[in-house]
Amino acid sequence: MIGTVVGAATAVGAATAAGAAALGIYYPNASLVGPVVGRGPRRRELYLTFDDGPNGRATPAVLDALDEAGVPAAFFMVGNFVRRHPALARRATEAGHLIGNHTTTHVKLHWSGPRRIASELDRAHATIADVTGRAPLAFRAPHGYRNPFVSRATRRLGYRTFGWTFGVWDSDPIDAAEIRRRVRRRLRPGAIILLHDGDGYDPDGDRTPTARALPDIIRDAREAGYRFRPLTALLD
Ligand SMILES: [Zn+2]
């Protein structure tokens, strides 16, 4: 295993794009650059996850919808946005949702070196711990892009790294009805569902269509016999 990691680290330095793809760098659930959880047990259970917040417009609406339906979720937050909206990060924590580290500036990590990667993860870790009073236990890489230095940092921080089973490109300019349809079509047992309550590159980005779709997404899934489980169930 150690041999594999070292080999991959060496290869990354000289890799072509094709070589990087072969190493699994572009695949959110590839385990070649470190272990990652991309799906839960194949039961009629689902895991909701929201990336790129907190966001002043969408996050409160997402939290309202989750609260209303009694559904747990995980939020992979951007450190700089936690600084902007500390009350939202605290509200999500107090509601019992899992807060994960999604880097400080939402940089794509796959071509970054060890120092930049450590800084991106460590600063977000400290911010989340400081603001919410709880050290994060989970990590998701922006776009799922990782390399062996990312694995080294997540191991040091004691994180479980998460990918996702499916996303629905809810960052496309599409309306809530289309987001709902896309999720409904892709539901499958044990799925970790990737949605967005923020925009990783624009703190004022509009993710309200996702928030508006959420009550119907939850209703559709329950009508299809699914129940929602907290991502914390997959931490160990
Ligand atoms: Zn992201």
Side-chain angles (χ1 to χ4, degrees), residues 149-228:
F149 303 123
V150 176
S151 316
R152 188 191 295 175
T154 55
R155 229 179 5 254
R156 175 171 52 77
L157 289 163
Y159 288 164
R160 170 80 43 167
T161 298
F162 287 93
W164 56 90
T165 311
F166 69 86
V168 297
W169 293 273
D170 57 325
S171 35
D172 288 353
I174 52 174
D175 63 11
E178 176 61 16
I179 293 170
R180 172 194 187 178
R181 265 193 301 277
R182 290 181 182 186
V183 173
R184 193 172 49 201
R185 270 202 302 269
R186 290 173 173 84
L187 291 178
R188 71 198 72 166
I192 297 173
I193 303 173
L194 169 63
L195 295 168
H196 294 84
D197 66 321
D199 177 332
Y201 304 98
D202 176 4
D204 300 314
D206 182 17
R207 292 290 177 260
T208 52
T210 298
R212 277 199 303 277
L214 189 54
D216 287 327
I217 288 171
I218 292 169
R219 198 170 309 124
D220 290 344
R222 283 176 165 165
E223 277 171 12
Y226 288 96
R227 67 188 191 110
F228 290 93

Side-chain angles (χ1 to χ4, degrees), residues 1 6 12 14 29 53 55 66-67 78-79 92 100 107 119 148 151 170 188 230:
M1 186 60 205
V6 170
V12 164
N29 301 322
N55 172 287
L66 294 171
D67 189 35
V78 176
V107 67
S119 159
S151 316
D170 57 325
R188 71 198 72 166

Side-chain angles (χ1 to χ4, degrees), residues 42 46 61 91 101 119 147 189 209:
R42 308 302 200 258
L46 300 167
R91 185 184 156 192
N101 184 331
S119 159
N147 68 23

